[in-house]
Amino acid sequence: MEPNFFTIQQISEMTGLTAHTLRYYEKIGLLYGIHRDTNGYRQYSESDISWIHFLLRLRVTGMKVSDMKQFSDLRSQGEATISGRRELLETHQRNVLAQINELKNNLKMIDEKIESYKWMEGQN
């Protein structure tokens, strides 16, 4: 059974990334080993799609492109880099948790301000 391949336009629609961004990610090494057909057109596999979705999760949670590149480089080197990849993700996890705490604190202040306004409205 032949694997399913997807065009850059299909991947763009699936991920929300532009074709330009996908080519850029390949150029800087975030995406590598993208299969090409006989005409040189990119053909993305299911595995490529999974990797792109993971990169999107890293990006949306605030990981810098340089850190994503470091993670990608380690990934391309195989199983010998598993500990390094875990350490990078643990650092990112701590950063995300700190962001969540900061958001919770900010939300608490907003909630308090809303309650203050509701109280003031009740006094009129």
Side-chain angles (χ1 to χ4, degrees), residues 5 10 16 21 31-33 37-38 46 48 53 57 59 61-63 71 77 87 91 95 103 109:
F5 287 109
Q10 290 171 314
T21 299
L31 299 173
Y32 56 89
D37 69 11
T38 54
E46 296 281 349
D48 297 326
H53 282 293
R57 289 185 194 284
R59 187 178 83 173
T61 55
M63 183 179 268
F71 188 88
Q77 295 169 31
E87 290 168 6
T91 297
N95 292 338
L103 284 171
M109 297 302 291

Side-chain angles (χ1 to χ4, degrees), residues 8-82:
I8 197 166
Q9 289 81 13
Q10 290 171 314
I11 297 299
S12 180
E13 289 171 12
M14 289 179 197
T15 64
L17 294 174
T18 65
H20 174 78
T21 299
L22 289 163
R23 286 191 289 273
Y24 173 72
Y25 278 10
E26 189 175 353
K27 179 181 176 183
I28 66 171
L30 284 179
L31 299 173
Y32 56 89
I34 303 298
H35 182 72
R36 304 279 182 136
D37 69 11
T38 54
N39 294 319
Y41 292 110
R42 291 168 178 83
Q43 292 185 311
Y44 296 86
S45 68
E46 296 281 349
S47 176
D48 297 326
I49 294 169
S50 294
W51 175 240
I52 292 167
H53 282 293
F54 185 72
L55 289 173
L56 288 171
R57 289 185 194 284
L58 295 177
R59 187 178 83 173
V60 80
T61 55
M63 183 179 268
K64 295 182 287 187
V65 171
S66 59
D67 290 340
M68 291 167 58
K69 172 73 169 100
Q70 183 181 2
F71 188 88
S72 181
D73 289 347
L74 290 172
R75 178 179 177 257
S76 70
Q77 295 169 31
E79 289 190 17
T81 65
I82 287 173

Side-chain angles (χ1 to χ4, degrees), residues 94-122:
R94 285 190 296 274
N95 292 338
V96 170
L97 288 170
Q99 291 172 7
I100 289 169
N101 278 337
E102 186 175 344
L103 284 171
K104 283 181 178 179
N105 289 334
N106 289 332
L107 183 58
K108 182 181 176 203
M109 297 302 291
I110 291 168
D111 289 344
E112 290 173 3
K113 185 57 80 176
I114 289 170
E115 288 306 312
S116 173
Y117 286 139
K118 285 180 179 179
W119 181 84
M120 286 190 270
E121 287 172 337

